[in-house]
């Protein structure tokens, strides 16, 4: 299995996929981004350009470096374009069956020595690896939003992940300026096992009329030194994602402490998902 990583594939052109592509491209890696919709690819390309332009305007990146990074990213509708990638990072919807289907396609298309990573924020990597033909090459790379700015990557070792793959991916994170921290495979890993239930409990405080959304956030910022209130953070993450993680924790651990808030479910049913829809616990102007 090759441990020399030069070309990166990214499955999914959403917020996380485009951010992951940018992080690798800025660090000099060639990147192929694949999605099933051309509109998603066009939006991702525009999002990366806007992000790079902001970095240039803040003197955090040279204009020439931004253009070079953009040129390193290729958009495609064909999964076969991952055939020569050394590493492919899956960054799609947080549903096991959908991920399982993608990894089956990657098994078919990718070289046997390519590393397959998932950006899952809560689903068992051991379960994902078990659904593939070569489980030792599967690993978790949990990036955080916004990817270009957030320094952490949670490296999740499946029970089957080889030492060589774990070492190569950890070193790769360092090469793109990220701080890799390794966690054993467990539902939610570390960050989301702590963070998402906190957001869920903040939602329960509103649901039970203990305090307003504004006051819950203000109390956590003033009393716990949080830079952002938990409800604002939930809106930033996406309340549908918060619900997905809570449901994964609830089902995985079979523990009532991880039961999603009824208000969280109602918000998602109403389509009030946070910043991306313009309304969550707070309202937002169009991007």
């Amino acid at each position: 299995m090759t441990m020399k990583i030069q070309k990166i594939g990214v499955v999914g052109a959403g917020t996380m996929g485009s951010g992951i592509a940018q992080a690798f491209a800025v660090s000099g890696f060639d990147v192929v981004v694949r999605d099933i919709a051309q509109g998603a690819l066009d939006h991702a390309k525009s999002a990366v350009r806007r992000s790079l332009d902001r970095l240039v305007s803040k003197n955090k990146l040279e204009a020439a470096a931004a253009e070079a990074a953009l040129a390193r990213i290729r958009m495609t509708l064909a999964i076969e374009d991952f055939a020569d990638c050394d590493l492919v990072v899956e960054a799609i919807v947080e549903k096991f069956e959908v991920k399982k289907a993608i990894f089956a396609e990657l098994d078919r298309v990718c070289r046997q020595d390519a590393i397959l990573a998932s950006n899952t924020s809560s689903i068992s990597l051991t379960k994902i690896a078990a659904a593939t033909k070569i489980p030792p090459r599967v690993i978790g790379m949990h990036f955080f939003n916004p990817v270009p700015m957030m320094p952490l990557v949670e490296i999740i070792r499946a029970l089957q992940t080889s030492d060589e793959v774990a070492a190569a991916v950890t070193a790769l994170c360092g090469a793109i300026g990220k701080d890799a921290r390794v966690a054993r495979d467990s539902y939610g890993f570390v960050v989301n096992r702590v963070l998402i239930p906190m957001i869920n409990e903040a939602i329960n405080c509103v649901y039970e009329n203990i305090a307003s959304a504004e006051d819950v956030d203000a109390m956590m910022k003033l009393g716990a030194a949080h830079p952002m209130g938990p409800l604002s953070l939930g809106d930033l993450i996406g309340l549908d994602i918060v619900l997905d993680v809570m449901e994964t924790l609830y089902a995985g651990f079979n523990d009532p402490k991880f039961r999603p808030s009824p208000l969280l479910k109602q918000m998602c049913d109403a389509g009030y998902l946070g910043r991306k829809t313009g309304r969550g616990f707070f309202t937002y102007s169009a991007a």
Side-chain angles (χ1 to χ4, degrees):
M1 183 176 295
T2 181
M3 294 296 107
K4 188 175 183 180
I5 301 174
Q6 295 179 313
K7 187 172 184 180
I8 312 293
V10 178
V11 186
T15 299
M16 294 305 294
S18 60
I20 292 167
Q22 178 182 325
F24 280 114
V26 167
S27 297
F29 292 88
D30 291 327
V31 185
V32 178
V33 180
R34 185 257 183 173
D35 204 286
I36 59 175
Q38 185 61 49
L41 294 173
D42 294 341
H43 184 271
K45 193 81 169 184
S46 296
V48 171
R49 179 175 285 281
R50 289 195 301 272
S51 178
L52 292 171
D53 287 345
R54 283 195 296 271
L55 292 174
V56 171
S57 69
K58 295 177 181 179
N59 295 317
K60 294 183 178 180
L61 190 68
E62 295 291 334
E67 288 301 320
L70 198 64
R72 294 187 191 103
I73 300 174
R74 181 163 68 91
M75 303 292 179
T76 184
L77 295 169
I79 199 165
E80 287 76 14
D81 287 341
F82 292 145
D84 60 345
C85 288
D86 304 305
L87 165 72
V88 179
V89 182
E90 167 270 312
I92 60 172
V93 64
E94 194 73 350
K95 302 291 184 183
F96 172 71
E97 291 302 325
V98 181
K99 291 182 187 295
K100 179 181 177 181
I102 283 294
F103 274 82
E105 289 191 78
L106 295 177
D107 263 336
R108 174 180 61 83
V109 169
C110 297
R111 302 191 316 262
Q112 291 190 354
D113 60 353
I115 298 171
L116 305 184
S118 176
N119 182 54
T120 180
S121 58
S122 61
I123 296 173
S124 167
L125 265 299
T126 298
K127 189 175 181 181
I128 292 174
T132 69
K133 294 179 180 177
I134 311 174
R137 68 171 170 170
V138 176
I139 194 166
M141 294 182 73
H142 181 206
F143 292 83
F144 292 81
N145 186 36
V147 177
M149 306 307 296
M150 297 295 280
L152 176 65
V153 179
E154 266 186 321
I155 302 298
I156 315 301
R157 289 193 60 157
L159 191 62
Q160 309 94 318
T161 304
S162 72
D163 292 341
E164 292 80 8
V165 165
V169 170
T170 300
L172 177 66
C173 290
I176 63 171
K178 301 298 184 185
D179 191 338
R181 299 294 169 130
V182 180
R184 185 173 60 84
D185 188 24
S186 180
Y187 296 104
F189 320 129
V190 173
V191 173
N192 279 341
R193 183 170 173 174
V194 175
L195 177 65
I196 300 300
M198 183 194 71
I199 295 173
N200 188 67
E201 201 57 33
I203 295 170
N204 275 330
C205 286
V206 176
Y207 178 63
E208 297 169 15
N209 294 316
I210 295 172
S212 68
E214 291 81 2
D215 282 345
V216 168
D217 271 14
M219 290 176 188
M220 292 305 294
K221 288 192 289 183
L222 295 171
H226 288 198
M228 176 183 288
L231 299 174
S232 296
L233 182 55
D235 281 354
L236 177 62
I237 293 168
L239 297 179
D240 53 335
I241 303 300
V242 174
L243 179 58
D244 281 344
V245 175
M246 284 304 300
E247 288 180 334
T248 296
L249 293 170
Y250 189 35
F253 289 113
N254 193 29
D255 189 328
K257 75 179 182 181
F258 295 118
R259 183 171 55 241
S261 170
L263 179 56
L264 174 60
K265 292 182 176 181
Q266 290 173 341
M267 296 285 281
C268 290
D269 287 343
Y272 302 156
L273 307 182
R275 287 183 178 271
K276 60 188 171 186
T277 60
R279 179 174 177 179
F281 284 94
F282 305 98
T283 58
Y284 304 90
S285 60

